[in-house]
Amino acid sequence: MPTPIVQFGTSRFLQAHADLFVSEALEKGEALGPITVIQTTGSPERARRLAALAAPGGYPVIVRGRQDGHDIEREQRVTSVTRALSTASDWDEVRRVFCEEADVVLSNTGDTGYDVGENDLARPVPASFPGKLLALLHERFRANSRKLTVLPCELVSRNGDVLKRLILDLQADRYPESEFRDWLQTAVVWANTLVDRIVSEPIEPAGAVAEPYALWAIENQLGLTGPCRHPAIHIVDDLTPYEKLKLHILNLGHTVLADFWLKENRPADETVQAMLRDVDIRQRLLSLYNAEVIPGFAAKGLRGEAEAYVAATVERFDNPFLDHRMRDIANHHAEKLVRRLVDFHAWTPDVPKPVLLEIAGVQ
C-alpha cells in the first residue's frame, strides 16, 4: 500500500504524537494513508526500533496521567506505520518512496537536527537531515515536480520558515538551477507547527508513555495538506497565540517553580508533582497565574484561552505518573528567565507584574 505520509525520525515523541493521531484517524477513514518512517542517523542501536515500528500488530502507547480531574491509564496500539527504512541501508527505496508516494513529510530530528557539517552535500548520501531532504527534493523535482507539504515538528520557533530558509541557502550552492528554486518556493508548502505533549519514557523496542494532553497546531497557508483529521490537530491562521500560551504559561510555570526550588534549598530529587503538594508553593504559583499571567493574556484578547490553558497546565503538573525532576527543569535557568518571564513582560508591558519581574531580577 502506498504511504502518502513520510516521516523523518523515529523519536518516541512522534510515536506517541503524530503516529498515534494518524493511527486513530485511519480507523475512522480520516487520514491520507499510512506512514513510512525513515531513520536518518544510521545508528545501529536503533535498528531494532525501526523494525518494531512497522510490525504487523503495531506498537504500544500508554497514555497515563490526569484528565478532567481523574487519573487515567490506557494502552493503545499504533498501526499507522507500515514501512520503516534507513537512509544508511535503504537509500534507493527512500528515494523512490519520497518521489512517488509522499504527499506530506513530517520530521522530528532533535536539538541538532538542522545542523549541516562541512562538505555534507558532496556525499552520495548527505549525513545531515537538511542535506538528505534537499537531495530528495531535487530527485522529486526531476522525477515529477509534484506538490508537497512539509510539517517540521522540531522545537524551533517558526520551524517551517527556518527549515525553508536553510534548504534554500543549501540549494543555492548545491543545485543552483532557477527552476528548482522556484519549485521549492511555490510547490512545496513549508508549514510552521507547534507540538505540545510530554512523552515521558520509551517502551522497548518501540512505543512510549505519554500524558493525556496533546496539541499539534499547524499554521494554515495556501496549498497546505494535513496528514489527517484529529481532535488534537488544529489548523490555525496564526500560530502566535499557541506559541505564547505554551511559552508563557507551561514553560513559565516550570521556570517559576525552578526558581523557588533553587532559592529555597528544597530536596535535590524533588519533582514538579511533589513540589505542588506543598500548599504554599501551589498557592504562590496559582496567584502568579491569576494576578499577572492571565491579565497579560487578557490584554491581548486571550483571557479565555489563557484560563483554559492554565487549568490544563496545572492538571499536567499534577500528573501522578510523571517524575519530572526540578534539577532537570532548572538547567539553563538564567536564559529561561529571560525568554519566559522577561519576554512575557515585553509582550504585555502595560500589565503590572511585580512578582514575576522580581523573580526575573528586573528592577
Side-chain angles (χ1 to χ4, degrees):
M1 181 183 296
T3 55
I5 304 170
V6 171
Q7 172 182 309
F8 290 91
T10 64
S11 68
R12 70 179 189 240
F13 175 80
L14 283 180
Q15 293 176 47
H17 192 262
D19 299 345
L20 175 58
F21 300 163
V22 172
S23 183
E24 291 173 326
L26 282 169
E27 294 175 1
K28 301 177 180 179
E30 296 182 344
L32 289 179
I35 301 169
T36 287
V37 167
I38 299 173
Q39 180 189 6
T40 61
T41 62
S43 172
E45 64 268 18
R46 294 186 182 178
R48 190 161 161 256
R49 178 194 300 177
L50 197 66
L53 286 173
Y59 62 82
V61 168
I62 297 173
V63 179
R64 182 186 285 162
R66 291 188 64 80
Q67 189 172 44
D68 300 326
H70 302 285
D71 292 350
I72 68 166
E73 183 170 7
R74 65 177 183 269
E75 180 176 318
Q76 299 177 244
R77 302 297 297 185
V78 177
T79 57
S80 54
V81 179
T82 58
R83 187 192 290 124
L85 303 172
S86 168
T87 56
S89 57
D90 306 308
W91 183 243
D92 287 343
E93 179 66 357
V94 168
R95 292 163 59 199
R96 186 198 68 77
V97 171
F98 191 92
C99 292
E100 297 179 8
E101 298 184 12
D103 293 315
V104 170
V105 170
L106 313 179
S107 69
N108 184 245
T109 54
D111 294 339
T112 60
Y114 290 176
D115 292 352
V116 179
E118 189 175 356
N119 298 321
D120 182 59
L121 299 181
R123 303 183 184 193
V125 179
S128 71
F129 164 63
K132 291 182 175 75
L133 181 60
L134 176 62
L136 292 168
L137 287 166
H138 191 250
E139 290 270 356
R140 184 182 177 103
F141 169 71
R142 293 175 59 193
N144 52 50
S145 299
R146 288 199 301 123
K147 294 182 178 179
L148 187 69
T149 293
V150 179
L151 299 173
C153 297
E154 288 81 13
L155 296 178
V156 175
S157 180
R158 311 294 298 175
N159 45 21
D161 294 342
V162 171
L163 185 57
K164 179 181 180 179
R165 284 195 301 270
L166 175 56
I167 293 296
L168 289 174
D169 287 344
L170 296 174
Q171 173 269 331
D173 292 331
R174 181 61 175 167
Y175 306 108
E177 60 261 46
S178 60
E179 294 85 359
F180 178 44
R181 188 175 187 85
D182 290 343
W183 181 79
L184 288 173
Q185 293 179 302
T186 59
V188 180
V189 174
W190 305 86
N192 294 305
T193 78
L194 180 142
V195 295
D196 190 0
R197 181 171 229 178
I198 297 172
V199 181
S200 56
E201 57 184 289
I203 297 173
E204 297 299 338
V209 179
E211 66 172 339
Y213 181 90
L215 171 70
W216 189 5
I218 302 170
E219 195 169 69
N220 199 12
Q221 57 178 290
L222 185 65
L224 177 83
T225 298
C228 64
R229 287 194 293 272
H230 190 276
I233 298 178
H234 301 266
I235 308 297
V236 301
D237 292 330
D238 183 8
L239 209 58
T240 303
Y242 294 85
E243 293 176 330
K244 294 296 186 180
L245 287 165
K246 182 181 179 184
L247 181 63
H248 299 313
I249 294 179
L250 177 74
N251 299 147
L252 178 147
H254 275 149
T255 296
V256 166
L257 290 174
D259 201 76
F260 296 162
W261 180 80
L262 287 166
K263 293 177 179 176
E264 297 173 14
N265 195 31
R266 301 188 64 86
D269 286 336
E270 193 166 37
T271 64
V272 172
Q273 181 208 2
M275 197 167 178
L276 285 179
R277 287 200 295 265
D278 184 317
V279 175
D280 177 64
I281 292 288
R282 189 180 194 88
Q283 185 55 47
R284 288 159 67 188
L285 178 65
L286 292 176
S287 294
L288 270 176
Y289 278 144
N290 291 325
E292 301 186 17
V293 175
I294 291 175
F297 280 96
K300 295 290 187 177
L302 297 168
R303 176 180 289 277
E305 292 86 344
E307 289 175 340
Y309 197 78
V310 165
T313 294
V314 173
E315 196 165 55
R316 295 168 76 183
F317 287 172
D318 284 334
N319 186 342
F321 303 104
L322 179 62
D323 292 330
H324 202 170
R325 304 284 174 189
M326 293 309 307
R327 64 169 178 261
D328 298 327
I329 295 171
N331 287 335
H332 308 292
H333 185 61
E335 300 167 23
K336 292 175 180 176
L337 285 172
V338 174
R339 177 128 173 78
R340 300 173 179 184
L341 278 68
V342 177
D343 288 358
F344 178 57
H345 183 62
W347 186 54
T348 58
D350 296 330
V351 177
K353 306 180 191 68
V355 179
L356 281 176
L357 292 179
E358 181 181 357
I359 291 172
V362 176
Q363 300 299 320

